[in-house]
């Protein structure tokens, strides 16, 4: 909910007050409720406040309960009752309603460097332990909150706002070529510790960082579980447990006053909306909830508005509908409001900016259904795999169970199974033809792509598809794209499906056919959402939104924007299709990928402008 920044001077040198003032000023755009600084001469901390309605009133930060340990946090803490009990068992008088900064302070005093493992929620924080002269930092389990750091000759710097560090005159300005290579191929980095700036690194999710005696050490404190297993006798018990956890995740993320939710016509976000309405009806929150939906009217077949209205009307949630047909590729990218701290491949970013701005007029908290597809990822070709391994009775039993619970015959998944047996993958990354060969060699780009195509090193024994999705390195980049330090909009975006309690449970469920097609969610939401929505098959857009614009508008679709020679160190502009801003007359093969050179070129122009 806030901006954080600070530094520890090296070699006992006094903290530079001018640097601290610059850092605080760089947080102001995301801190409508004021900034505050603190320094003891060795360490300097800055905090920019964004009130979200979770705590009333929060204590000023940087915060200390004893003038010894000082906390600077961007944090929202979940599971407060359990945390308070654990703290009380350790002799600390903690209460569930204590502010997040105080709970973090308590946790560090009791558990020291292990404290992050006891915390649930979204957090990035730094703790200056004055008696020990050490800085302790932590980032949440999934990396919802960003945490950046850099070293200069005279200090260790950190912030949850990338531009705060990039603007420091002592931080070198060179770009990270590995990051750029990943961006051109995948749209984001495969290295969760990298940023586009070579001198600025990220603390990976579920890691802690300690600065002590001039040395920096980084350690993982949590990994996705692979050996837990939950066994119930009836499917209904799994469903009840899942709905309970999802309701808790939604309740913990609902502020007391107002919130928005990005609604689609699918089950993920509408289920969150249904549970939010239940929470409000129970009197556990008094949140004024409003939905925001983007949809196509004519460019392509799209039933999002139809199904969103079905859910919104059933739940009595006022919803704002935004037709996105008029939006153009790279629209308004040259304006200051569209400048981002890192390149983004979202050519239709104007849709996101306008929706976020509209939501900000109503609330400072937004919920999304991001992660629903990942945590509920089905076991592909379950019945076919059972039959192929000789377990015909098991396949028949699971098919019958599915038909009983869902009221329809399950899909056996034969075609998917055959595709996988031929070594197929839903999508395999390839280095585009327009990437410079020398650049690819010096960055090991082909090897990086091959490693991604090979999948994760660990195969989960129960839920391999969900596990593979959850360990994908692209999630921190997605979370960053919602962060106020990236959007420049004072709104905190929350993702209930990325809750440790939910993920831990779902990864422990034995695979069964009834669970496929989001069976837990479908059955759990019966009586909460309209049946027609629950039975709607997953229906992605019929075409690439960029391609349909290109076909309709021809050469004018980019508004005259072209890839410049600024990208010459990394790619051959002459091989980028003209339709994507390059010079090649060849038609684009994958337009969504081939506009990335233009996105990089526009970002470089904005940086140098």
């Amino acid at each position: 909910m806030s901006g954080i920044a600070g530094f520890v001077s090296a070699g006992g040198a006094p903290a530079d007050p001018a640097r601290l003032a610059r850092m605080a000023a760089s947080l102001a755009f995301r801190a409508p409720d004021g900034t505050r600084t603190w320094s003891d001469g060795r360490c300097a901390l800055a905090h920019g406040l964004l009130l979200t309605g979770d705590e009333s009133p929060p204590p000023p930060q940087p915060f200390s309960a004893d003038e010894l340990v000082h906390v600077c946090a961007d944090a929202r803490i979940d599971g407060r009752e359990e945390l308070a009990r654990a703290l009380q068992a350790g002799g600390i008088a903690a209460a569930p309603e204590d502010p997040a900064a105080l709970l973090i302070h308590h946790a560090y005093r009791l558990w020291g460097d292990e404290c992050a493992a006891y915390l649930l929620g979204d957090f990035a924080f730094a703790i200056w332990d004055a008696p020990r002269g050490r800085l302790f930092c932590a980032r949440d389990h999934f990396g919802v909150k960003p945490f950046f750091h850099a070293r200069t000759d005279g200090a260790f710097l950190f912030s949850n706002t990338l531009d705060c560090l990039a603007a420091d005159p002592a931080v070198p300005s060179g770009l990270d070529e590995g990051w750029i290579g990943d961006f051109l191929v995948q749209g984001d980095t495969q290295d969760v510790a990298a940023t586009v700036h070579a001198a600025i690194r990220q603390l990976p999710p579920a890691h802690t960082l300690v600065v002590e005696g001039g040395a920096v050490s980084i350690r993982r404190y949590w990994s996705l579980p692979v050996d837990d297993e939950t066994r119930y006798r009836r499917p209904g018990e799994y469903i009840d447990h899942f709905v309970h956890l999802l309701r808790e995740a939604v309740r913990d993320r609902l502020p007391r006053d107002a919130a928005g939710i990005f609604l689609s016509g699918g089950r993920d976000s509408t289920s969150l909306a249904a549970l939010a309405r239940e929470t409000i009806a129970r009197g556990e929150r008094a949140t004024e909830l409003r939905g925001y939906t983007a949809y196509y009217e004519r460019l392509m077949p799209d039933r999002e508005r139809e199904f969103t209205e079905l859910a919104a009307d059933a739940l009595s949630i006022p919803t704002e509908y935004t037709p996105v047909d008029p939006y153009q590729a790279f629209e308004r990218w040259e304006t200051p409001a569209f400048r981002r701290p890192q390149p983004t491949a979202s050519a239709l970013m104007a849709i996101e900016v306008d929706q976020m701005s509209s939501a900000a007029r109503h609330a400072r908290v937004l919920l999304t259904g991001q992660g629903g597809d990942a945590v509920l990822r089905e076991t592909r070709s379950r019945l076919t795999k059972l039959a192929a391994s000789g377990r015909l009775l098991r396949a028949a039993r699971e098919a019958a169970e599915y038909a009983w619970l869902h009221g329809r015959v399950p899909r056996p998944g034969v075609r998917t199974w055959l595709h996988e047996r031929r070594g197929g993958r839903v999508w395999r990354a390839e280095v585009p033809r327009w990437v410079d060969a020398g650049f690819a060699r010096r960055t090991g780009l082909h090897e990086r792509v091959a490693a991604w195509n090979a999948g994760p090193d660990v195969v989960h024994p129960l839920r391999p598809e969900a596990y593979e999705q959850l360990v994908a390195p692209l999630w921190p980049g997605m979370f960053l794209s919602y962060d106020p330090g990236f959007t420049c909009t004072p709104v905190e975006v929350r993702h209930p499906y990325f809750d440790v309690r939910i993920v831990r449970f779902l990864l422990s469920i034995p695979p069964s056919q009834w669970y496929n097609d989001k069976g837990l969610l479908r059955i759990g939401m019966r009586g909460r959402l309209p049946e027609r929505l629950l039975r709607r098959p997953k229906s992605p857009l019929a075409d690439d939104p960029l391609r349909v614009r290109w076909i309709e508008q021809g050469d004018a679709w980019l508004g005259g924007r072209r890839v410049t020679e600024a990208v010459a160190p990394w790619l051959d502009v002459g091989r980028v299709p003209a339709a994507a801003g390059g010079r090649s007359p060849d038609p684009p093969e994958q337009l969504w990928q081939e506009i990335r050179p233009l996105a990089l070129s526009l970002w470089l122009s904005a940086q140098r402008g």
Side-chain angles (χ1 to χ4, degrees):
M1 64 180 179
S2 303
I4 62 173
F7 61 94
V8 177
S9 295
D16 180 3
R19 169 177 275 164
L20 180 59
R22 289 195 303 268
M23 283 185 154
S26 73
L27 302 177
F29 75 95
R30 60 178 297 163
D33 301 303
T35 58
R36 188 170 179 266
T37 62
W38 172 91
S39 176
D40 68 354
R42 294 174 296 170
C43 175
L45 303 174
H47 186 269
L49 181 61
L50 171 64
L51 291 171
T52 54
D54 294 296
E55 301 171 357
S56 179
Q61 287 195 56
F63 167 82
S64 180
D66 54 14
E67 298 304 319
L68 300 174
V69 171
H70 299 264
V71 178
C72 191
D74 177 18
R76 186 190 53 75
I77 302 300
D78 295 334
R80 287 166 169 262
E81 291 82 3
E82 295 84 352
L83 177 61
R85 285 195 294 270
L87 289 167
Q88 291 163 8
I92 292 180
E97 62 273 14
D98 283 346
L102 179 56
L103 290 172
I104 292 170
H105 188 283
H106 286 330
Y108 179 75
R109 293 305 302 267
L110 180 59
W111 296 302
D113 289 5
E114 303 300 319
C115 66
Y118 291 85
L119 300 174
L120 295 178
D122 307 331
F123 54 80
F125 62 79
I127 295 176
W128 175 244
D129 190 331
R132 301 171 66 185
R134 74 197 298 261
L135 185 73
F136 175 82
C137 310
R139 189 178 181 191
D140 63 68
H141 301 70
F142 297 108
V144 174
K145 298 289 189 180
F147 190 97
F148 305 103
H149 58 95
R151 297 191 73 171
T152 67
D153 290 340
F156 174 89
L157 290 69
F158 74 87
S159 180
N160 65 346
T161 305
L162 183 56
D163 278 347
C164 176
L165 301 187
D168 192 288
V171 175
S173 59
L175 301 182
D176 186 312
E177 288 199 324
W179 194 100
I180 291 173
D182 286 346
F183 173 79
L184 293 171
V185 176
Q186 305 271 48
D188 210 325
T189 183
Q190 298 300 299
D191 180 0
V192 294
T195 76
V196 71
H197 302 284
I200 303 175
R201 305 289 286 172
Q202 294 192 68
L203 180 63
H207 279 69
T208 61
L209 179 152
V210 173
V211 181
E212 187 171 18
V216 177
S217 59
I218 295 175
R219 182 180 66 88
R220 176 181 285 275
Y221 67 82
W222 181 82
S223 296
L224 281 172
V226 296
D227 54 2
D228 295 341
E229 186 170 359
T230 299
R231 286 283 184 179
Y232 291 139
R233 295 183 62 185
R234 299 180 299 103
E237 294 177 85
Y238 293 107
I239 295 162
D240 291 344
H241 192 170
F242 170 67
V243 172
H244 167 74
L245 292 176
L246 190 58
R247 185 187 294 113
E248 290 292 297
V250 170
R251 186 193 67 176
D252 282 347
R253 287 163 176 79
L254 278 178
R256 291 178 172 82
D257 44 20
I261 180 168
F262 285 134
L263 279 176
S264 72
R267 290 184 289 271
D268 295 341
S269 60
T270 52
S271 295
L272 301 181
L275 294 176
R277 291 296 298 161
E278 281 189 14
T279 300
I280 295 166
R282 290 179 175 189
E284 297 173 14
R285 294 289 187 273
T287 313
E288 181 187 344
L289 190 63
R290 184 172 299 178
Y292 298 88
T293 300
Y295 72 100
Y296 281 92
E297 285 186 310
R298 61 172 187 83
L299 275 182
M300 65 181 77
D302 182 12
R303 302 181 69 183
E304 286 307 296
R305 175 160 187 165
E306 172 191 346
F307 282 97
T308 302
E309 283 186 330
L310 188 65
D313 291 347
L315 298 172
S316 299
I317 296 177
T319 300
E320 180 178 304
Y321 298 94
T322 302
V324 296
D325 307 70
Y327 284 87
Q328 305 302 308
F330 300 104
E331 179 180 328
R332 290 177 271 156
W333 269 43
E334 292 79 8
T335 63
F338 280 68
R339 291 177 181 171
R340 296 295 181 258
Q342 292 193 141
T344 172
S346 180
L348 298 174
M349 184 167 54
I351 299 172
E352 304 162 14
V353 170
D354 288 351
Q355 274 203 302
M356 189 74 76
S357 298
S358 181
R361 291 191 286 271
H362 167 69
R364 290 182 173 180
V365 171
L366 268 170
L367 304 183
T368 82
Q370 290 282 5
D373 284 341
V375 298
L376 295 164
R377 177 69 63 179
E378 68 177 25
T379 302
R380 293 188 292 266
S381 307
R382 170 72 176 172
L383 296 181
T384 298
K385 289 175 180 176
L386 287 174
S389 64
R391 292 179 287 177
L392 295 174
L393 289 178
R394 178 69 177 269
R397 185 166 63 250
E398 290 196 8
E401 188 176 47
Y402 181 98
W404 172 259
L405 290 168
H406 292 281
R408 63 183 185 184
V409 177
R411 298 171 299 170
V414 175
R415 284 184 297 179
T416 301
W417 179 73
L418 290 172
H419 182 68
E420 288 181 342
R421 294 217 5 130
R422 292 192 293 267
R425 185 181 172 122
V426 176
W427 180 77
R428 294 182 66 84
E430 295 181 356
V431 178
R433 62 190 182 281
W434 32 258
V435 169
D436 179 77
F439 162 62
R441 281 193 300 272
R442 69 177 179 265
T443 57
L445 188 55
H446 289 279
E447 292 77 10
R448 294 160 75 95
V449 170
W452 184 89
N453 286 333
D457 296 332
V458 176
V459 176
H460 197 278
L462 300 175
R463 302 284 315 290
E465 292 84 2
Y467 181 86
E468 181 178 2
Q469 287 284 308
L470 288 167
V471 298
L474 303 181
W475 291 114
M478 184 276 290
F479 296 136
L480 179 61
S481 72
Y482 284 114
D483 188 79
F486 194 91
T487 66
C488 301
T489 304
V491 171
E492 180 169 285
V493 181
R494 300 173 178 176
H495 315 278
Y497 287 106
F498 281 97
D499 185 289
V500 172
R501 297 163 293 187
I502 290 174
V503 172
R504 183 187 295 135
F505 172 68
L506 291 179
L507 288 180
S508 74
I509 295 178
S512 182
Q513 180 61 30
W514 73 268
Y515 178 79
N516 277 355
D517 302 315
K518 296 189 178 178
L520 279 175
L521 202 61
R522 184 194 301 268
I523 301 170
M525 289 300 113
R526 284 177 180 166
R528 293 181 167 95
L529 289 173
E531 188 65 23
R532 189 157 69 91
L533 185 150
L534 294 176
R535 289 186 171 274
R536 181 191 183 190
K538 188 170 180 62
S539 52
L541 289 174
D543 203 347
D544 174 7
L546 297 176
R547 179 172 290 276
V548 295
R549 285 171 169 82
W550 169 55
I551 292 173
E552 180 179 76
Q553 299 163 18
D555 293 340
W557 85 289
L558 292 178
R561 298 176 179 87
R562 290 292 179 264
V563 179
T564 68
E565 289 300 323
V567 298
W570 310 297
L571 56 86
D572 182 353
V573 177
R575 302 190 72 181
V576 178
R583 299 174 188 161
S584 172
D586 296 335
E589 296 175 0
Q590 297 175 327
L591 193 54
W592 51 269
Q593 182 182 58
E594 289 170 333
I595 53 89
R596 290 174 188 160
L598 180 55
L600 178 60
S601 178
L602 292 173
W603 181 82
L604 289 168
S605 297
Q607 292 295 109
R608 294 165 183 175

